């Protein structure tokens, strides 16, 4: 859906320095962050509290003034209002004017986003249904639970049919069904060509939906890239086989490591380049290959290990 | 631009109409207006003039309470509750947001002043058989002055909390009506053209004495209003534009 051929979101050299008026020293919340998000992908932004994720997103959306850096969405300077017209944003724990009814709130945001008058009603109805709030159009927002406000936050982010959506902790406060709905919604958005930048603490959510990730720590990019490539850190493949009652064939045994045998199933890992030879050897020995999967770190383990190596402090804003 | 300012203004109006302070001020002002004819000075044979003067003062005080209560916390609470994020992320500029907020406050204040004046007219009609149309000139002056004050309050509130806003707005009101006191000496005469005086909106005497002011004066009052509001909102936009949210 993007008109430009470049990245849907481009952040280059993002830097934010907070200068207290008196007393306390200057603090760099974000230091030279580069993020590039390809069109039609879901890009995860990860990091512990204080990593600078929220500050980076706020700079991208013109809510915080960058000290330095370039911020572009669909090729336009997103720190300027006109550069944000094709963007949907759901802040962490979205708040709304409490006196409004749900449909009134969506109408307000639709008007602000320049949605044609005759399209506001149908879009409101469709979005309320899409986020699971059908029948709540006339409920005032002070009667909404946190999860319902979260769902409405997603609806307002989509009211202008954006080409780029920035979601800050979209599943926060949702029950497991709600979290699944949000995950499916993000996948649907990607299917329809929408680019999603997802900031989240929920690693399982990121692992389930993201194509690429940027991991931040202490205001810096600690790691970035394709999730599979990041987690397949050891270049090894895990193989499960059945029918090798006599143990692993000698050719396999000398290549395999981390061997475990339970209930007639042998599980072991081998270097990626030896997979073909190992499978042939298992076949020759009369065994049956059950699965061949790349050895992946869990995102949790990878995340924890990465953060341990970048131990400088910082505070998220 | 107006397509974004206007929805913000309407949201402010809707929000304001749900606040109890609007109705409390309205009812209180109406009750006091009904009590004006019982004032002791009514034995002097100048009942009409006293009524108009007190009615205008009442409108002024009620509008002031309303203006300060609506404008002091509008921007700070939206920033604190982060409702402003959803607005600005939709491609609304900070200038449009501030102007929309101010416009909403101006509309509510205008509606309230119109309601006060309507009630005062009804009382005047019932008590003196005279609708006292001059009261509307006074109401316009009060409204415009409150518009200036709310623009100033919005400017201060873009970087400060409600207590500072109210204090600053009252200080501006005091300074704005103290030119002759503060610059009374001969040595200060040269400063008078630069003094931010709000005296242009003080038409109590002509209204109270029934003469009113000529249309040209009303027009010049409007020019002063536009000038002050433009300056205050420009400062507001500059301050708010530099703020991290």
């Amino acid at each position: 859906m993007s008109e430009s051929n470049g990245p849907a979101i481009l952040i280059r050299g993002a830097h934010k320095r907070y200068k207290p008026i008196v007393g306390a020293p200057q603090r760099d919340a974000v230091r030279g962050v580069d993020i590039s998000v390809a069109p039609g992908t879901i890009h995860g932004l990860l990091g512990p509290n204080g990593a600078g994720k929220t500050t980076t997103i706020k700079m991208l959306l013109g809510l915080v003034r960058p000290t330095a850096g370039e911020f572009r969405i669909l090729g336009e300077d997103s720190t300027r209002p006109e550069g944000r017209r094709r963007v949907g944003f759901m802040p962490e724990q979205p708040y709304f004017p409490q006196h409004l009814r749900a449909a009134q709130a969506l109408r307000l945001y639709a008007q602000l986003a320049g949605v044609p008058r005759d399209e506001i009603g149908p879009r409101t109805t469709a979005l309320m249904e899409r986020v699971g709030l059908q029948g709540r159009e006339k409920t005032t927002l002070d009667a909404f639970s946190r999860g319902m406000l979260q769902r409405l936050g997603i609806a307002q982010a989509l009211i202008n049919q954006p080409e780029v959506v920035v979601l800050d902790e979209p599943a926060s406060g949702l029950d497991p069904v709600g979290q699944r709905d949000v995950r499916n919604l993000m996948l649907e958005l990607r299917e329809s060509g929408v680019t999603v930048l997802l900031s989240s603490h929920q690693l399982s959510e990121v692992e389930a939906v993201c194509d690429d990730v940027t991991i931040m720590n202490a205001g810096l990019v600690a790691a970035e890239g394709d999730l599979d490539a990041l987690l397949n850190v050891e270049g090894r493949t895990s193989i499960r086989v059945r029918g090798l009652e006599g143990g692993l064939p000698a050719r396999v045994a000398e290549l395999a490591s981390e061997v475990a045998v339970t209930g007639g199933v042998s599980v072991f890992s081998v270097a990626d380049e030896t997979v073909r030879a190992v499978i042939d050897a298992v076949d020759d020995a009369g065994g049956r290959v059950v699965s061949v999967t790349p050895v992946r770190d869990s995102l949790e383990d990878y995340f924890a290990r990465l953060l341990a190596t970048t131990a400088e402090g910082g505070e998220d804003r | 631009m107006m397509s974004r300012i206007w929805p913000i203004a309407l949201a402010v109006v809707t929000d304001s109409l749900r606040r109890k302070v609007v109705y409390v001020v309205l009812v209180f002002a109406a009750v006091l207006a009904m009590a004006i004819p019982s004032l002791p000075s009514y034995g002097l044979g100048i009942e009409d003039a006293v009524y108009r003067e007190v009615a205008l003062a009442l409108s002024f005080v009620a509008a002031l309470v309303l203006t300060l209560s609506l404008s002091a916390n509008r921007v700070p609470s939206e920033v604190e509750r982060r409702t402003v994020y959803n607005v600005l992320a939709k491609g609304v500029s900070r200038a449009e947001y501030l102007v929309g907020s101010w416009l909403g406050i101006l509309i509510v204040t205008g509606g309230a002043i119109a309601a006060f004046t309507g009630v005062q007219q009804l009382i005047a009609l019932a008590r003196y058989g005279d609708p006292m149309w001059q009261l509307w000139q006074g109401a316009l002056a009060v409204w415009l002055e409150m518009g200036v004050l709310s623009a100033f309050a919005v400017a201060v509130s873009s970087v400060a909390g409600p207590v500072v806003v109210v204090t600053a707005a009252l200080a501006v009101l005091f300074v704005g009506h103290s030119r002759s006191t503060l610059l009374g000496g001969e040595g200060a005469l040269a400063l008078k053209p630069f003094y931010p005086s709000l005296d242009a909106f003080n038409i109590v005497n002509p209204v109270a004495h029934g003469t009113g002011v000529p249309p040209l004066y009303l027009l010049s009052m409007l020019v002063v209003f536009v000038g002050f509001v433009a300056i205050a909102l420009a400062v507001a936009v500059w301050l708010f534009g530099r703020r991290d949210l």
Side-chain angles (χ1 to χ4, degrees), chain B residues 133-152:
Chain B
W133 291 105
Q134 302 93 331
L135 284 173
W136 285 101
Q137 286 190 342
L140 176 67
V142 170
W143 184 47
L144 295 180
E145 183 165 356
M146 291 305 130
V148 171
L149 203 63
S150 59
F152 177 77

Side-chain angles (χ1 to χ4, degrees), chain A residues 16 63 65 85 99 156, chain B residues 18 85 90-91 244-245:
Chain A
K16 180 61 189 177
L63 299 172
R65 288 193 338 144
R85 303 249 157 91
H99 63 278
Q156 69 79 23
Chain B
R18 289 178 55 86
Y85 290 3
K90 289 275 176 281
D244 290 330
L245 300 174

Side-chain angles (χ1 to χ4, degrees), chain A residues 16 18 58 62-65 81 84-85 89 91-93 95-99 108-109 111-113 156 159, chain B residues 3-4 7-8 11 14-15 18 81-83 85-94 241-242 244-245:
Chain A
K16 180 61 189 177
Y18 287 102
K58 283 183 175 180
L63 299 172
V64 163
R65 288 193 338 144
R84 301 193 290 269
R85 303 249 157 91
F89 173 53
E92 185 179 4
Q93 295 180 15
Y95 288 88
F96 299 96
Q98 295 291 292
H99 63 278
L108 168 64
Y109 296 118
Q111 288 174 328
L112 294 178
Q156 69 79 23
I159 193 73
Chain B
S3 66
R4 289 183 290 276
I8 294 171
T14 317
D15 183 35
R18 289 178 55 86
R81 287 159 53 214
R82 292 181 280 180
T83 48
Y85 290 3
N86 294 335
V87 174
L88 298 181
K90 289 275 176 281
V92 173
S93 70
R94 295 188 184 202
R242 298 175 64 79
D244 290 330
L245 300 174

Side-chain angles (χ1 to χ4, degrees), chain A residues 42-239:
Chain A
I42 303 178
H43 190 101
L45 189 56
L46 297 172
N49 292 334
K53 308 183 299 291
T54 303
T55 303
T56 303
I57 287 178
K58 283 183 175 180
M59 285 194 286
L60 176 69
L61 296 170
L63 299 172
V64 163
R65 288 193 338 144
T67 307
E70 182 183 0
F71 301 83
R72 295 199 168 272
I73 296 180
L74 300 170
E76 292 188 54
D77 181 356
S78 62
T79 62
R80 302 179 64 79
E82 49 279 14
R84 301 193 290 269
R85 303 249 157 91
R86 292 184 288 168
V87 181
F89 173 53
M90 195 199 86
E92 185 179 4
Q93 295 180 15
Y95 288 88
F96 299 96
Q98 295 291 292
H99 63 278
L100 293 179
R101 299 176 195 280
Q104 285 178 322
L106 286 185
R107 168 171 288 275
L108 168 64
Y109 296 118
Q111 288 174 328
L112 294 178
V115 176
R117 188 182 294 262
D118 56 339
E119 286 183 29
I120 293 177
R123 278 197 206 181
T124 299
T125 307
L127 273 173
M128 291 292 280
E129 193 174 333
R130 194 171 182 187
V131 299
L133 289 175
Q134 63 272 32
R136 299 285 192 169
E137 288 84 351
K138 293 184 178 172
T139 307
T140 50
L141 298 182
D142 54 6
F144 265 37
S145 67
R146 187 171 162 210
M148 291 161 75
L149 288 172
Q150 197 80 3
R151 287 167 185 268
L152 190 70
I154 296 170
Q156 69 79 23
L158 301 178
I159 193 73
N160 54 333
Q161 296 182 337
E163 293 169 54
V164 170
V165 177
V166 180
L167 304 173
D168 195 357
E169 300 289 350
S172 165
L174 293 179
D175 58 26
V177 176
Q179 292 180 10
R180 186 201 60 196
D181 291 345
V182 169
R183 223 174 287 152
N184 290 339
L185 184 71
M186 284 190 277
L187 294 172
E188 282 172 28
L189 288 172
R190 182 175 63 183
E191 281 294 301
S192 58
V194 174
T195 307
V196 179
L197 177 62
L198 165 69
S199 171
S200 178
H201 281 113
Q202 301 201 17
L203 301 182
S204 58
E205 177 183 59
V206 171
E207 203 166 0
V209 300
C210 288
D211 303 297
D212 301 290
V213 294
T214 297
I215 301 177
M216 291 183 68
N217 191 30
L220 297 163
V221 173
E224 62 182 319
D226 176 79
L227 200 51
D228 288 333
L230 284 177
L231 299 183
N232 191 12
V233 286
E234 296 173 52
R236 296 184 70 80
T237 299
S238 173
I239 299 178

